[in-house]
Amino acid sequence: IHDYMDHRLFFGQLQKQVLQRYQRPISILDLGCGDLTPILPLLQSVELQRYVGIDESAGALAIAEKHLSELELPGELIESDILASLESLQENFDLVVASFSLHHLADPAAKLRTLQAIERHLTKDGMFALIDVFCLEQEARADYLQRWIAHADQRYADLQEEEKQLLFDHVTARDYPISLHHWQKLGKQAGLEQFVVELEDQASLNALVTMCRLPV
């Protein structure tokens, strides 16, 4: 199976960070969890107290439910909008993960509200991990889209032209990335002042960022 978006690379790095940070059972909230395939190695590597996955796709959640059941992982899946779920949840988590989901929020104010809600749901030593696409500093959305499509046209070489066009149409309609620096500013506004770029791809498109509160 092709790993065009480097899920294994980014989740592998996140797994290292999590295992270094926590030597106890942890709870995980996964925003835009999909079918769970990318995060499964991490879930299996930690002492998992509780897992909650949120996604809008019923089809993806059906596969996710099968994974949780087969691996006997203590989890719950919620079919819902991310921000709506964050505002209704009543519990806190040691790790909140958002993988290739928050760039779909077109309004930076919605991204800030999401970060603020995430901060409220973190435990005292909790961490937010953002794996996503990012534009360059001062890069217009049209320029980002042109750069992304040119990169994907070469990288996604095994896709048929019709498949590529569907992907490009999806990205053009739904991708609203912001720069790493912009995310850092929003994180600070939300109370997540510790901002670390853990890993970035060579194309300066995808990255893993962790955000935490400053130590007291």
Side-chain angles (χ1 to χ4, degrees):
I1 298 175
H2 299 295
D3 185 21
Y4 290 126
M5 297 169 72
D6 291 322
H7 284 98
R8 286 190 291 271
L9 176 66
F10 289 116
F11 274 97
Q13 180 64 31
L14 176 58
Q15 182 175 323
K16 293 177 184 176
Q17 299 297 119
V18 172
L19 291 175
Q20 288 173 5
R21 186 177 181 88
Y22 300 108
Q23 284 76 49
R24 59 173 175 79
I26 64 169
S27 54
I28 299 175
L29 173 63
D30 191 356
L31 306 175
C33 63
D35 65 9
L36 297 195
T37 300
I39 202 173
L40 281 178
L42 189 157
L43 298 183
Q44 293 174 280
S45 71
V46 300
E47 190 174 351
L48 188 62
Q49 183 182 62
R50 175 164 163 74
Y51 170 85
V52 176
I54 297 171
D55 204 281
E56 294 184 3
S57 170
L61 290 178
I63 300 171
E65 180 64 46
K66 184 178 179 182
H67 286 314
L68 289 179
S69 177
E70 288 176 348
L71 296 171
E72 298 182 344
L73 295 172
E76 176 186 357
L77 299 170
I78 301 171
E79 183 183 345
S80 176
D81 170 80
I82 287 174
L83 188 53
S85 290
L86 279 170
E87 292 176 343
S88 64
L89 282 171
Q90 299 298 314
E91 57 189 302
N92 292 340
F93 298 86
D94 300 299
L95 175 66
V96 177
V97 180
S99 170
F100 295 105
S101 56
L102 299 192
H103 67 275
H104 293 312
L105 298 172
D107 185 0
K111 290 181 171 71
L112 175 59
R113 289 199 303 274
T114 302
L115 285 181
Q116 290 169 331
I118 289 169
E119 191 277 335
R120 291 195 297 270
H121 285 294
L122 286 176
T123 56
K124 184 177 179 181
D125 61 344
M127 177 174 73
F128 171 49
L130 175 64
I131 302 171
D132 218 322
V133 292
F134 302 84
C135 63
L136 301 175
E137 192 68 21
Q138 305 299 325
E139 183 178 37
R141 180 172 182 266
D143 294 330
Y144 159 82
L145 291 172
Q146 184 178 16
R147 187 166 63 92
W148 192 96
I149 289 172
H151 173 76
D153 194 33
Q154 293 186 351
R155 181 166 172 79
Y156 295 27
D158 291 329
L159 295 184
Q160 299 296 319
E161 289 304 315
E162 295 81 2
E163 295 174 311
K164 283 186 181 180
Q165 192 57 54
L166 286 172
L167 176 63
F168 298 162
D169 290 345
H170 169 81
V171 169
T172 300
R174 297 201 57 194
D175 278 25
Y176 293 88
I178 58 176
S179 69
L180 288 165
H181 181 64
H182 195 168
W183 272 114
Q184 185 175 19
K185 287 174 61 178
L186 294 180
K188 187 174 182 179
Q189 287 179 257
L192 300 172
E193 296 184 284
Q194 186 170 314
F195 182 97
V196 180
V197 180
E198 306 287 356
L199 187 63
E200 186 175 6
D201 71 2
Q202 293 183 343
S204 296
L205 286 168
N206 304 327
L208 161 64
V209 171
T210 56
M211 302 185 206
C212 310
R213 304 183 189 96
L214 290 176
V216 178

